[in-house]
Amino acid sequence: MDRFERAYRNPVRQVRRRRSALTGNAVFTGALMIATAALAADSIDPDALKRLVHQDCGSCHGLTLKGGLGPDLRAETIEHYDADVLKSVILDGIPDTAMPPWRPLISEEEADWVARYLLQPENM
């Protein structure tokens, strides 16, 4: 075993390498969380959320939201739902159905905006 291999296998050096890797991961994770929080703090973009509803939601609920794989989402057909119920469905999905949770992709504020938009599109 040459000196480079001995230095590489040195337990103290391995601990330092692990500690350095963990520190690097912690710094990256912290920066990612700060950036995500900063983005979430920005104001909601209504145009982007309307596109999300009509394109992403529309891929299952129909581009005009009249239904498809998923049910009709027009205001007159969902008016009996509370905005909080819709927000919960948007964020957490519906288990054992094709409705996925959107929580990993949108904030609670954005989900609230989408729920209110679905109930009263003319006011948004």
Side-chain angles (χ1 to χ4, degrees):
M1 185 173 359
D2 66 359
R3 70 176 213 200
F4 293 110
E5 192 173 358
R6 273 195 310 274
Y8 182 77
R9 291 179 182 226
N10 182 339
V12 173
R13 190 181 235 19
Q14 288 177 353
V15 168
R16 285 184 187 150
R17 257 195 308 269
R18 277 191 218 115
R19 192 176 302 146
S20 176
L22 290 174
T23 302
N25 287 342
V27 169
F28 174 74
T29 302
L32 183 61
M33 290 175 70
I34 290 169
T36 303
L39 288 173
D42 289 345
S43 63
I44 289 177
D45 182 354
D47 292 330
L49 289 174
K50 285 179 186 178
R51 278 192 306 278
L52 174 99
V53 168
H54 291 280
Q55 291 178 0
D56 292 296
C57 301
S59 67
C60 288
H61 294 278
L63 294 177
T64 58
L65 304 180
K66 292 180 181 177
L69 174 64
D72 187 333
L73 290 181
R74 292 174 297 160
E76 59 270 14
T77 60
I78 62 170
E79 64 188 0
H80 58 282
Y81 288 107
D82 183 62
D84 289 334
V85 170
L86 293 176
K87 175 182 169 184
S88 175
V89 169
I90 292 165
L91 288 172
D92 300 321
I94 302 174
D96 301 322
T97 70
M99 179 62 191
W102 285 83
R103 188 177 294 278
L105 303 171
I106 65 174
S107 69
E108 290 201 19
E109 294 79 17
E110 291 168 323
D112 184 57
W113 189 95
V114 169
R116 289 184 291 113
Y117 174 70
L118 290 172
L119 290 170
Q120 299 178 344
E122 66 281 351
N123 294 338
M124 306 300 273

